[in-house]
């Protein structure tokens, strides 16, 4: 991995060249908009050293990594958090197919190149986890190690994803199925973005009581004739210990400006991804890997078999698999100190760790 801090080719969303500062909650970081083959990607950068690229999930933002950017920079890394296409200041193509997994992988490779680097460690949370995993799977020459948060690695299987998700949901409709029809979830969310986000973040956090049955998906299904928000807990009020009113304002402001379609389109490509990645059916990841999940995180519970399969699916060197007690889905925000320690300790074991930090 190159440890140089070369100057990338950049442009602002309005076309003016060069990096720009923004009146955001992390003023010490640098904002850039870099060109990628299908548009632009907005990213936030802090520190110098080996490149660590952080990819967020739904419904989030580069801001989801606000605690990791300064911590990784202080540890000797060039920490970069991007707005995934469809989010924030990044491009938002109209075509649903523009959000297929292959497009996200291409974006990540283009970001590394635009930053003047040859390789990077990639870290992903929620949808960012499979984006990171597939980036490492398809481009091992670029992504030399991978850290996955909340969603464990699971290779492509034999069943079409929409068919698998259609079997879930209990007496309702599983949320992934609910998100498939363009405009349907948007009609629920966009009239009150801030209120919906507050409920969604709370419902998936460690502040919500987990179901007694780890396999229960009722809280993540839409009741007949209802909305997903009908399942949100009513006994949780903001601010949460990890989510302030200002944090929620930032997220809500982004989605009130952009809408939710870009983020939801990621769900609308799961069958397309399955077709695109047929050649990698069952393929393992061979790079050094790390997994961090929350004990009370639904995807971590549902995918416990995927975690058990890590010796087979992550044979290249799973450094560790961590489940944080009492933590929910938003691990790097709910438990920033623990996640920062786990990430930096792991990064320091990698061959491209900054001088003087390798074990």
């Amino acid at each position: 991995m190159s440890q140089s801090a070369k100057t990338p080719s950049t442009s602002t969303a309005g076309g003016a060249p060069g990096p720009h500062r923004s009146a955001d909650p992390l003023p010490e970081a640098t904002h850039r908009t870099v060109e990628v083959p299908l548009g632009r990607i907005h990213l936030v950068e802090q520190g110098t050293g080996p490149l660590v690229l952080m990819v967020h999930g739904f419904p989030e933002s580069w801001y989801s990594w606000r605690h990791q950017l300064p911590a990784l920079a202080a540890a000797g890394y060039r920490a970069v958090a991007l707005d995934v296409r469809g989010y924030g200041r990044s491009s938002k193509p109209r075509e649903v197919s523009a959000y297929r997994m292959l497009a996200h992988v291409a974006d990540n490779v283009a970001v590394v190149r635009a930053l003047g680097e040859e390789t990077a460690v990639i870290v992903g949370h929620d949808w960012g986890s499979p984006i990171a995993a597939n980036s490492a799977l398809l481009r091992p020459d670029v992504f030399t190690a991978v850290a996955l948060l909340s969603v464990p690695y699971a290779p492509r299987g034999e069943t079409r994803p929409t068919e698998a998700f259609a079997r879930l949901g209990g007496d309702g409709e599983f949320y992934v199925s609910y998100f498939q029809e363009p405009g349907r979830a948007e009609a629920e969310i966009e009239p009150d973005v801030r209120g919906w986000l507050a409920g969604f973040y709370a419902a998936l956090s460690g502040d919500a009581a987990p179901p007694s049955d780890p396999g229960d998906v009722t809280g993540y299904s839409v009741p007949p004739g209802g909305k997903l928000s009908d399942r949100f807990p009513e006994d949780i009020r903001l601010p949460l210990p990890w989510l302030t009113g200002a944090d929620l304002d930032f997220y809500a402001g982004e989605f009130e400006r952009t809408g939710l379609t870009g983020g939801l389109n990621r769900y609308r490509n799961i069958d397309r991804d399955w077709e695109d990645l047929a050649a990698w059916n069952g393929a393992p990841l061979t790079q050094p890997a790390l997994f961090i999940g929350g004990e009370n995180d639904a995807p971590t519970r549902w995918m416990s078999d995927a975690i058990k399969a890590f010796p087979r699916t992550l044979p290249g060197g799973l450094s560790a698999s961590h489940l944080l007690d009492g933590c929910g889905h938003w691990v790097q925000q709910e438990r920033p100190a623990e996640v920062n320690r786990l990430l930096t300790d792991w990064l320091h074991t990698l061959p491209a760790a900054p001088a003087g930090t390798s074990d």
Side-chain angles (χ1 to χ4, degrees):
M1 178 186 298
S2 170
Q3 295 192 27
S4 62
K6 303 173 186 175
T7 302
S9 58
T10 63
S11 66
T12 65
H20 59 278
R21 297 279 180 175
S22 175
D24 62 60
L26 202 64
E28 62 272 26
T30 299
H31 289 249
R32 301 182 186 276
T33 303
V34 302
E35 299 302 317
V36 297
L38 297 178
R40 67 182 184 275
I41 293 292
H42 166 248
L43 56 86
V44 181
E45 176 181 3
Q46 192 168 353
T48 59
L51 178 60
V52 180
L53 184 65
M54 294 177 282
V55 186
H56 68 79
F58 176 87
E60 300 183 80
S61 152
W62 73 264
Y63 185 68
S64 304
W65 302 103
R66 62 194 178 278
H67 303 296
Q68 285 67 52
L69 283 161
L72 296 187
Y77 295 91
R78 188 181 186 186
V80 173
L82 54 78
D83 276 333
V84 172
R85 67 164 53 202
Y87 290 83
R89 300 182 215 165
S90 294
S91 291
K92 301 164 190 63
R94 291 187 178 182
E95 300 81 5
V96 173
S97 62
Y99 298 85
R100 69 204 314 154
M101 184 61 70
L102 295 181
H104 291 292
V105 172
D107 284 346
N108 292 340
V109 172
V111 166
V112 173
R113 298 291 187 247
L115 291 172
E117 302 288 355
E118 297 297 324
T119 60
V121 173
I122 191 164
V123 182
H125 169 257
D126 183 77
W127 258 121
S129 178
I131 292 174
N134 281 286
S135 296
L137 180 67
L138 273 61
R139 294 302 304 268
D141 57 317
V142 177
F143 301 104
T144 57
V146 58
L148 309 175
L149 277 59
S150 294
V151 179
Y153 178 60
R156 179 196 184 276
E158 297 292 345
T159 304
R160 183 175 291 272
T162 54
E163 294 176 1
F165 288 121
R167 300 169 189 158
L168 303 176
D171 62 352
E173 181 182 18
F174 194 56
Y175 78 100
V176 177
S177 300
Y178 175 63
F179 286 168
Q180 292 302 304
E181 181 184 343
R184 187 180 176 199
E186 290 93 327
E188 172 185 345
I189 301 168
E190 292 181 357
D192 180 14
V193 170
R194 192 179 193 276
W196 192 91
L197 290 175
F200 192 76
Y201 293 152
L204 274 66
S205 74
D207 303 280
S212 56
D213 177 4
D216 185 2
V217 299
T218 302
Y220 306 92
S221 65
V222 178
K227 301 175 294 184
L228 183 60
S229 56
D230 294 336
R231 304 290 199 189
F232 293 169
E234 298 180 355
D235 57 346
I236 298 179
R237 296 290 180 265
L238 295 178
L240 299 172
W242 58 274
L243 186 73
T244 68
D247 295 333
L248 182 60
D249 287 343
F250 184 89
Y251 286 121
E254 292 288 90
F255 289 113
E256 286 167 353
R257 179 171 54 82
T258 66
L260 274 293
T261 297
L264 289 163
N265 278 344
R266 175 83 289 276
Y267 292 90
R268 296 164 183 158
N269 277 276
I270 53 176
D271 281 351
R272 188 172 284 110
D273 298 339
W274 183 75
E275 294 165 357
D276 287 344
L277 298 171
W280 288 270
N281 192 61
L285 286 179
T286 58
Q287 295 94 321
L290 172 73
F291 176 72
I292 306 173
E295 177 190 33
N296 294 340
D297 183 12
T300 299
R301 297 196 312 269
W302 300 334
M303 300 181 71
S304 59
D305 287 346
I307 296 174
K308 294 175 184 176
F310 280 166
R312 174 175 53 83
T313 61
L314 300 175
L318 176 67
S319 298
S321 178
H322 303 274
L323 290 182
L324 306 185
D325 292 345
C327 187
H329 184 62
W330 318 104
V331 288
Q332 78 270 37
Q333 299 180 76
E334 293 184 51
R335 300 289 178 82
E338 288 178 75
V339 170
N340 291 347
R341 177 180 58 80
L342 292 171
L343 276 176
T344 55
D345 286 353
W346 173 69
L347 288 167
H348 289 343
T349 69
L350 301 178
T357 61
S358 297
D359 291 342

